[in-house]
Amino acid sequence: MSLFIDKHNRRKSPFILAVFGAALLNLCLFGLMYGLLAEPLYHAVAFASASATVAVHGLIVAAAGTALSCLLFFLKDKRIAPWSFGGLAVILGMFYASVFLLDPEVRPGMLWLISVYGLPPVLVGNAVTWLIYLAIRRFSPALLHRERKTIQEELREAAAKEAARKGEQEQASSETPEAPKAPESGASEAPEAGTPEEAYPELGPEAAASFRSAQDEAMLLYMDDDEESND
């Protein structure tokens, strides 16, 4: 856990991951530059001694690659540039350790290749970037100031933001007017006619009689008796 949490209970995993990624980036950058500059340097810079020629080529490539890697100082955390070359030194140490696992016949040649093509970038890069970092730390300490919150502070801020978001959602839902409910598609309006015969003329008088109340039946019976007495 010490790789991700410091002694002040603050997260530092972004820094560790950034350093690891920058170290791999530097390794790929130097490999690419060796591949691109090997032939032009061989034709442009050559000495009587092959070892001196190779050493000068390695220093030129190391200086050019370190200059490009110094663009990491434009990041917010200025420590990434020097620590990435520290990670590159760790990778070089792993290469040296792996050489001793090879056969004794192959070991001297691999040690020579690693020393010529791996050691100059590590030495030049660490020397340049750490000097720049120490100069920034001495003359411009404001560039290195970066507030880091503890895990408890980050959790409290996250909880406060979540509560504020829920409150805004509830307030927005309470202020939104409710839409009028549409009538159901299958529902029909009540008939405006007063009698069952007028409301349901298609059913006929026999079916309409089932909708009559007792008061309606008595009224109809009274009307029929009145008509017969008049006749």
Side-chain angles (χ1 to χ4, degrees):
M1 290 298 292
S2 61
L3 291 176
F4 304 100
I5 306 297
D6 62 7
K7 62 181 180 180
H8 301 292
N9 200 22
R10 297 178 300 195
R11 289 188 303 110
K12 61 178 182 179
S13 56
F15 172 70
I16 297 296
L17 295 176
V19 167
F20 179 72
L24 294 180
L25 179 64
N26 291 337
L27 183 64
C28 296
L29 176 64
F30 283 108
L32 182 63
M33 292 194 69
Y34 272 115
L36 294 176
L37 298 179
E39 186 174 357
L41 286 175
Y42 180 78
H43 293 292
V45 180
F47 300 97
S49 174
S51 300
T53 302
V54 172
V56 171
H57 291 178
L59 290 175
I60 292 174
V61 172
T66 302
L68 289 177
S69 298
C70 283
L71 295 176
L72 294 173
F73 280 108
F74 287 99
L75 296 175
K76 185 177 180 180
D77 196 338
K78 311 299 181 186
R79 301 173 299 167
I80 292 177
W83 279 99
S84 64
F85 277 97
L88 198 61
V90 174
I91 295 175
L92 183 65
M94 295 172 62
F95 285 164
Y96 274 116
S98 64
V99 169
F100 292 97
L101 301 177
L102 301 175
D103 295 333
E105 295 80 8
V106 185
R107 193 177 301 165
M110 291 301 298
L111 284 174
W112 184 84
L113 288 175
I114 294 174
S115 300
V116 169
Y117 296 106
L119 197 57
V122 170
L123 295 178
V124 174
N126 276 282
V128 172
T129 53
W130 279 103
L131 287 176
I132 294 175
Y133 176 74
L134 293 176
I136 293 175
R137 186 174 181 178
R138 180 177 180 181
F139 298 105
S140 300
L143 296 176
L144 303 178
H145 180 69
R146 189 170 65 92
E147 294 183 358
R148 289 184 295 163
K149 301 182 175 113
T150 62
I151 296 179
Q152 287 80 2
E153 292 174 347
E154 291 180 354
L155 291 176
R156 283 195 295 267
E157 288 185 359
K161 289 180 181 179
E162 183 68 17
R165 186 182 64 83
K166 289 183 178 180
E168 291 177 358
Q169 290 180 352
E170 292 177 358
Q171 183 178 3
S173 61
S174 62
E175 292 177 355
T176 303
E178 295 183 358
K181 295 183 179 180
E184 298 180 0
S185 57
S188 58
E189 296 182 356
E192 297 180 355
T195 61
E197 291 85 349
E198 293 175 350
Y200 305 97
E202 68 278 3
L203 298 179
E206 294 82 1
S210 60
F211 294 95
R212 297 170 185 164
S213 61
Q215 186 177 1
D216 294 335
E217 292 289 343
M219 183 62 69
L220 290 175
L221 181 61
Y222 174 77
M223 291 173 64
D224 291 341
D225 293 341
D226 191 15
E227 289 177 359
E228 290 177 0
S229 62
N230 290 333
D231 292 339

